[in-house]
Amino acid sequence: MTLQSSGALPQIEITGSDLTIEQVVQVAHQGAGVILAPVVAEQMATGRQILEEAIARGERIYGATTSVGPRTSASLSPEHIAEFSKRLLRTHHVGHGPEASQNIVRATLCVLLNALASGRTGARMQLAQILVDALNQNKPVVMHLWGSMGQSDMSAMADIGLALFQDCELAAGEALAILNSSALATGMAAISYSALHGILRFATSVAAVSMDGFAANPSIISNTALESRHFSGAHIHGAALRTELDGSYLFEKEGPRNHQDPLCFRALPLIHGAADDSLTFAGQQIAQELNSAQCNPVISLEHRTLAATANFDMVTLCMALDVMRQAFTPVLTSATERVAKMVDTTWSGLPIGLIEDDGIGAPGFNGVALFHKSITSEARLLCAPLAGELASSSHSNAVMDRASLAVLGARRALELHTLARSIISMELMVAAQAIDMRGQKPLGKGTRQLYEFTREVVPFASGASGIPDVRRLMDHLDNAESTALADWTTEQNGTAYAAPRPQRM
């Protein structure tokens, strides 16, 4: 896959075989256009030829010479193919409820285009070109998020089919090639992986600020501690914490207050490292799915054969999304515990609620901690696994007797990112207050920069000033433009960890 320059926006070359998560995100969020690699025309022509030869031999081909679902036994006459295709799209055009953002629509179109470009669906080049034009012209498409059980995203794909191909007479098998795709689940999975990967890196940076605010013991990121565990994630995030805290007072003899901190501090490299390892696995699975055939039947260009399959079953993707979400349960739980410990004078050694007593008796940041615990509880519910699936064997004459719920898994991953962003931002705001209340210096090189960035929009809170609004900090983070943030990179066991550093642009 190559990235080519075309005017103001880059263009992603689509080959049908090597689309990456990063490229889906570029198309979805950065407005990157797409072009078809020269090999695509040959692949799609070959796939179409194989399909048409099988039709000419009189083979029974699902969705091309037969109907689908409970009507599989019904044969299709060649003269009825065009009308059948229209009705097939309309039959599945039942989606309603929340509409997908255009970012998600663009990711879905990109994944669908890559699948058609492979030639394994038997679709013609004409369909691929329509998708290319839709992406490059940023054509708005209304696509609904409800309706998929994870055995292809049929209702959402019907939205796309009718919006983009209604003026195109579809050939045999093409309507099913559009419908029998899990492009929505796969595209959303790529977006959510990128988002959660970024928020995990940021969570580690913020946790380092909390360590400065709590006067935590940095022995957890010593070589002795890190080298005693052989998980790459623990090494990566332990090294990241050490880089953030480099130069901090915590490394001085009288810096840390406790020999044994609460586990939400003491297990930080292990908690964030385990999440990183889980995300690595999930990312590998999602990357594989981006280039896997999701169609039924599937065409082999190499063997010039067709096979009836269940390639639309997204159990692998659903499990990857389950792992990705579950990885954040301990990350977010430990974040809310750190907030609770920092505002509690028993644990922090600081004034109650991180506010100096002025005789009025207001509880200070205790209200923030309660809110923090509330949304963390909600986020934890989004982490529950879904691969247990929908239990039913009654649909389509009992043929469709299982489902993976992959789209729901991807939706929950995006919702989880939204809540995690707020949870981590609130921890940063509380940690900055704890740093001011403690008054210990110097801070780490990285933690000082993040503290100063926070103080640009969130002032120190006195009893009279009230509690700052975390939304100002979140807006400030947005305005820092994540693609232009200053990064630091630490090499640990050959793995690079780059943490975003908010910076005025």
Side-chain angles (χ1 to χ4, degrees), residues 196-281:
L196 289 175
H197 190 264
I199 203 66
L200 177 61
R201 293 184 299 158
F202 187 58
T204 296
S205 298
V206 170
V209 182
S210 292
M211 288 182 68
D212 261 342
F214 191 75
N217 194 325
S219 64
I220 60 171
I221 53 178
S222 65
N223 287 331
T224 299
L226 295 178
E227 290 172 5
S228 65
R229 298 298 293 269
H230 304 296
F231 297 98
S232 61
H235 283 248
I236 290 168
H237 286 264
L241 288 165
R242 191 159 57 197
T243 300
E244 291 281 35
L245 290 166
D246 182 36
S248 170
Y249 76 94
L250 295 180
F251 294 98
E252 299 173 1
K253 184 177 180 180
E254 302 300 325
R257 293 185 303 114
N258 303 313
H259 179 58
Q260 298 278 300
D261 288 320
L263 287 173
C264 58
F265 287 96
R266 190 163 24 123
L268 258 171
L270 303 178
I271 294 168
H272 288 212
D276 195 287
D277 290 338
S278 297
L279 281 174
T280 296
F281 166 77

Side-chain angles (χ1 to χ4, degrees), residues 76-93:
L76 300 176
S77 301
E79 64 271 18
H80 293 155
I81 291 296
E83 182 60 26
F84 169 78
S85 297
K86 291 179 182 178
R87 293 187 185 185
L88 189 62
L89 291 178
R90 291 170 184 163
T91 298
H92 292 87
H93 192 227

